[in-house]
Amino acid sequence: MLMGEFQHNLDAKGRLFMPVKLREALGTKFVLTKGLDGCLFVYDLEQWRLLEAKLNSLPMTRNARDFNRFFFGGAAEGECDKQGRVLLPVNLREFAGLDKNAVIVGVGNRAEIWDAERWNAYNEENAEDVGELAEQLADLDLGI
């Protein structure tokens, strides 16, 4: 399980330090792709394969084709160097607005990489909505 919030800076080459706890959970190789809400998604290979199978089983509707292009077209394999840094491809950095300050968030079956300013704005905008969201999810019997 991936969890926690970590703040790190990208270096001049576009490398980002991945926290040890997340590196251990993700494994030596993992997949980075365009995420929702303006961040990047990071999956270990097992979770990626499960998601890949689900997406490939969708009917060939316009929405499914568009989402698959978005999701798979932006994907790249990631691997940390000996210092624990992963090189974020230019297209993914541009998509997520990553320039200097980043926040890496573990959210269960994946990690998310956010530009720090975008992450702070997201949290400010959605802080009051969390209680309402929990009420809407009450039917799922999550025990929250």
Side-chain angles (χ1 to χ4, degrees):
M1 163 159 308
L2 299 164
M3 60 184 176
E5 181 178 318
F6 309 88
Q7 297 185 13
H8 291 283
N9 295 328
L10 277 81
D11 67 15
K13 295 180 180 179
R15 295 175 298 194
L16 177 66
F17 178 79
M18 292 295 284
V20 173
K21 288 183 179 183
L22 296 182
R23 283 197 320 260
E24 289 172 352
L26 289 169
T28 55
K29 292 187 180 185
F30 44 87
V31 177
L32 304 146
T33 192
K34 295 175 184 175
L36 305 177
D37 303 314
C39 69
L40 302 180
F41 286 173
V42 185
Y43 292 95
D44 68 31
L45 293 180
E46 179 183 350
Q47 287 297 318
W48 178 255
R49 287 185 189 109
L50 291 171
L51 183 58
E52 182 179 35
K54 288 178 185 177
L55 291 173
N56 283 330
S57 71
L58 294 174
M60 291 293 285
T61 64
R62 174 66 187 242
N63 287 342
R65 291 191 318 270
D66 288 346
F67 189 76
N68 281 346
R69 287 180 190 119
F70 168 81
F71 204 66
F72 293 122
E77 188 175 272
E79 185 174 9
C80 289
D81 64 15
K82 292 178 183 179
Q83 286 77 39
R85 302 168 301 186
V86 60
L87 177 63
L88 301 179
V90 173
N91 66 314
L92 294 180
R93 289 195 313 260
E94 289 175 352
F95 170 81
L98 291 161
D99 183 41
K100 180 81 175 141
N101 302 317
V103 178
I104 308 156
V105 184
V107 289
N109 70 338
R110 69 176 184 276
E112 297 179 348
I113 301 173
W114 290 78
D115 169 73
E117 286 183 29
R118 189 177 280 180
W119 173 249
N120 291 334
Y122 174 84
N123 282 308
E124 287 176 18
E125 291 172 15
N126 295 293
E128 295 176 13
D129 298 338
V130 174
E132 184 179 320
L133 180 60
E135 288 179 26
Q136 292 174 3
L137 296 175
D139 294 343
L140 298 177
D141 194 29
L142 297 174
I144 298 175

